[in-house]
């Protein structure tokens, strides 16, 4: 079985929908022909020139990286900086580069879940669930077509709440209409008032699936004109958002936990605020720069918050209520390359999959 880059991208998009990325982000296929056949995939935290060289030597023509190496519009391509040089090298050698960034940070089985697994956290939940990404569809269907319409809606991705699928609310009532002279009604006659026994189906769905869900509704619905409403919901989506909180199976003394963290995450250095003399049971995490989640971490009841890129004054905000740990951006997210390889291997069993052996961390410690 030969796959195209487009097929790999659409599989990854189904795991971490691009709609879940932050507005500043650039998670997408940055360079490469979507129709090219995939020879091999190299997974990496960063796409650098050295990683492109590694892809060439491994015979991989697709790099899947967590961090997009291009964030801003480029106006020239002369190789004056590493961004341009990486791009030029990739294009010259037919290497595609796909970035799966804050969308992968924000899904329940993404970057933070991988960190949680490394540390041994269970009962994981999103620390700051996203709002404004759920809609509700109310559709009116003649009773006889109820099953086929519901099946189509569920197949298109509607009606999932946490571990439950096929979630809907159904009520019975009557629909009225008068077909015009030019109408071609499934039920009723032209210019004749009709009253039909109908079912109202209400289902929630992720906003980014709206087009495919309405398409499925219209295809499965027997009427010429389909009556439906879409409402935007204020509900949080518990499955999507920044950071994660979870629990250790047994509480650990603070120093023991820091030693455990250091060994499980392969850390050279942990920068942390003063210990608060509480055993560690609940742990908040955010791979990459996550200090904006400090209040959410405190509210979650976590004794410790693990993230990176914390500035001097931000450490003061721990205020003896929580221990802030800065473990380094690269170190906090390095296992993302393993996560990417695991995700890809679920579907692409016959594509050669690798993760980079190059240390792309721009920071070294003396
Ligand atoms: Zn990240
Ligand atoms: Zn990052």
């Amino acid at each position: 079985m030969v796959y195209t880059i487009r097929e790999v991208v659409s599989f990854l998009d189904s795991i971490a929908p691009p709609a879940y990325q932050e507005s500043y982000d650039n998670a997408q296929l940055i360079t490469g022909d979507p129709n090219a056949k995939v020879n091999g995939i190299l997974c990496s935290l960063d796409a650098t020139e050295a990683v492109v060289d590694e892809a060439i030597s491994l015979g991989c023509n697709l790099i899947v990286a967590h961090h997009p190496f291009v964030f801003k519009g480029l106006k020239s391509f002369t190789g004056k900086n590493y961004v341009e040089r990486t791009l030029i090298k990739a294009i010259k050698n037919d290497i595609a580069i796909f970035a799966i960034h804050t969308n992968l940070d924000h899904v329940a089985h993404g970057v933070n879940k991988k960190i949680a697994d490394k540390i041994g956290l269970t009962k994981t939940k999103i620390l700051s669930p996203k709002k404004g990404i759920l809609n509700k569809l109310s559709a009116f269907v003649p009773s006889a077509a109820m099953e086929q319409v519901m099946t189509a809606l569920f197949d298109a991705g509607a009606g999932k709440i946490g571990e439950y699928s096929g979630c809907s609310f159904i009520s019975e009532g009557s629909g009225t209409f008068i077909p015009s002279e030019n109408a071609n009604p499934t039920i009723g006659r032209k210019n004749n008032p009709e009253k039909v026994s109908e079912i109202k189906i209400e289902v929630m769905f992720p906003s980014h699936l709206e087009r495919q869900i309405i398409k499925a509704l219209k295809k499965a619905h027997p009427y010429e004109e389909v009556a439906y409403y879409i409402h935007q919901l204020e509900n949080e989506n518990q499955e999507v958002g920044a950071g994660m909180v979870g629990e250790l199976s047994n509480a650990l003394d603070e120093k023991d936990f820091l030693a455990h963290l250091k060994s499980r995450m392969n850390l050279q250095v942990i920068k942390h605020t003063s210990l608060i003399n509480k055993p560690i049971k609940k742990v908040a995490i955010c791979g990459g720069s996550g200090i904006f989640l400090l209040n959410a971490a405190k509210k979650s009841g976590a004794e410790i918050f693990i993230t990176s890129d914390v500035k001097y004054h931000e450490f003061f905000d721990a205020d003896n209520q929580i221990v802030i740990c800065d473990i380094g951006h690269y170190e906090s997210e390095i296992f993302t390359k393993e996560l990417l390889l695991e995700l890809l291997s679920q579907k692409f069993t016959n594509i050669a999959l690798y993760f980079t052996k190059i240390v792309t961390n721009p920071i070294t410690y003396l």
Side-chain angles (χ1 to χ4, degrees):
M1 183 89 189
V2 180
Y3 291 97
T4 61
I5 285 170
R6 188 190 307 283
E7 286 167 310
V8 174
V9 166
S10 87
F11 171 73
L12 291 171
D13 283 351
S14 72
I15 286 169
Y20 294 161
Q21 67 184 294
E22 294 289 351
S23 55
Y24 63 80
D25 205 355
N26 187 29
Q28 60 168 332
L29 187 64
I30 291 174
T31 179
D33 174 4
N35 298 315
K37 293 188 172 47
V38 177
N39 304 329
I41 306 175
L42 179 60
C43 302
S44 181
L45 182 60
D46 304 288
T48 61
E49 286 177 274
V51 174
V52 176
D53 282 330
E54 189 184 21
I56 296 166
S57 68
L58 288 168
C60 294
N61 63 341
L62 174 60
I63 295 169
V64 176
H66 182 47
H67 294 138
F69 69 107
V70 178
F71 269 109
K72 293 181 282 189
L74 302 177
K75 290 192 172 175
S76 65
F77 303 87
T78 56
K80 63 183 169 296
N81 57 40
Y82 78 93
V83 174
E84 292 178 13
R85 286 194 301 276
T86 306
L87 194 58
I88 291 167
K89 183 169 270 186
I91 293 171
K92 273 188 178 170
N93 291 282
D94 275 327
I95 308 280
I97 302 179
F98 177 70
I100 178 168
H101 190 211
T102 50
N103 44 337
L104 190 63
D105 287 320
H106 288 160
V107 291
H109 296 279
V111 173
N112 292 313
K113 181 65 166 58
K114 188 73 194 168
I115 300 171
D117 290 346
K118 286 279 169 189
I119 307 175
L121 303 180
T122 56
K123 299 184 189 166
T124 50
K125 284 192 292 191
I126 299 285
L127 191 55
S128 176
K130 248 185 196 298
K131 278 187 175 186
I133 53 170
L134 282 174
N135 287 357
K136 187 185 86 169
L137 169 71
S138 309
F140 303 86
V141 186
S143 315
M146 184 182 88
E147 290 297 329
Q148 73 191 53
V149 170
M150 286 176 72
T151 305
L153 292 174
F154 296 148
D155 288 350
K160 290 199 181 95
I161 304 176
E163 290 301 314
Y164 295 80
S165 58
C167 305
S168 70
F169 187 82
I170 295 161
S171 44
E172 289 177 36
S174 301
T176 67
F177 51 85
I178 306 169
S180 82
E181 192 56 43
N182 299 322
N184 185 19
T186 314
I187 300 173
R189 287 177 291 123
K190 297 177 180 191
N191 301 316
N192 204 42
E194 271 304 322
K195 189 174 174 193
V196 181
S197 161
E198 290 185 351
I199 302 288
K200 180 185 183 186
I201 303 171
E202 294 170 82
V203 280
M204 297 216 293
F205 65 89
S207 320
H208 71 274
L209 298 181
E210 184 167 317
R211 270 180 62 183
Q212 71 187 57
I213 283 169
I214 298 307
K215 197 171 156 199
L217 168 69
K218 289 185 173 171
K219 199 168 169 217
H221 200 292
Y223 283 4
E224 187 176 23
E225 299 293 345
V226 179
Y228 65 92
Y229 308 124
I230 291 171
H231 291 104
Q232 203 176 20
L233 301 180
E234 282 298 303
N235 304 37
E236 289 174 340
N237 187 339
Q238 300 294 334
E239 302 288 296
V240 181
M244 191 160 267
V245 61
E247 289 182 21
L248 294 166
S249 47
N250 295 306
L252 285 175
D253 171 79
E254 288 164 304
K255 284 201 171 134
D256 292 343
F257 176 76
L258 291 176
H260 167 79
L261 176 67
K262 200 168 177 183
S263 86
R264 296 301 281 272
M265 302 282 297
N266 268 333
L267 306 174
Q268 292 183 58
V269 175
I270 300 178
K271 286 200 268 182
H272 66 88
T273 54
S274 47
L275 303 179
I276 55 172
N277 279 322
K278 274 192 198 167
I280 307 286
K281 172 81 175 163
K282 226 176 191 188
V283 180
I285 51 181
C286 182
S289 314
I291 198 64
F292 68 97
L293 290 169
L294 179 61
N295 282 336
K298 284 181 181 175
K299 272 194 203 140
S300 75
E303 290 87 24
I304 197 159
F305 179 36
I306 301 161
T307 186
S308 74
D309 296 345
V310 183
K311 292 180 188 160
Y312 176 75
H313 291 285
E314 293 166 340
F315 279 106
F316 283 95
D317 296 329
D319 219 4
N320 282 320
Q321 295 159 357
I322 197 166
V323 180
I324 297 175
C325 277
D326 183 334
I327 62 171
H329 195 127
Y330 176 87
E331 290 83 352
S332 74
E333 294 197 304
I334 186 56
F335 301 110
T336 307
K337 65 182 183 181
E338 285 177 19
L339 168 71
L340 289 169
L341 196 134
E342 287 158 13
L343 292 171
L344 289 164
S345 62
Q346 288 171 11
K347 182 169 164 93
F348 304 105
T349 44
N350 58 350
I351 298 182
L353 302 171
Y354 305 88
F355 56 72
T356 184
K357 293 199 170 67
I358 290 164
V359 177
T360 57
N361 194 356
I363 299 165
T364 52
Y365 303 99
L366 189 67

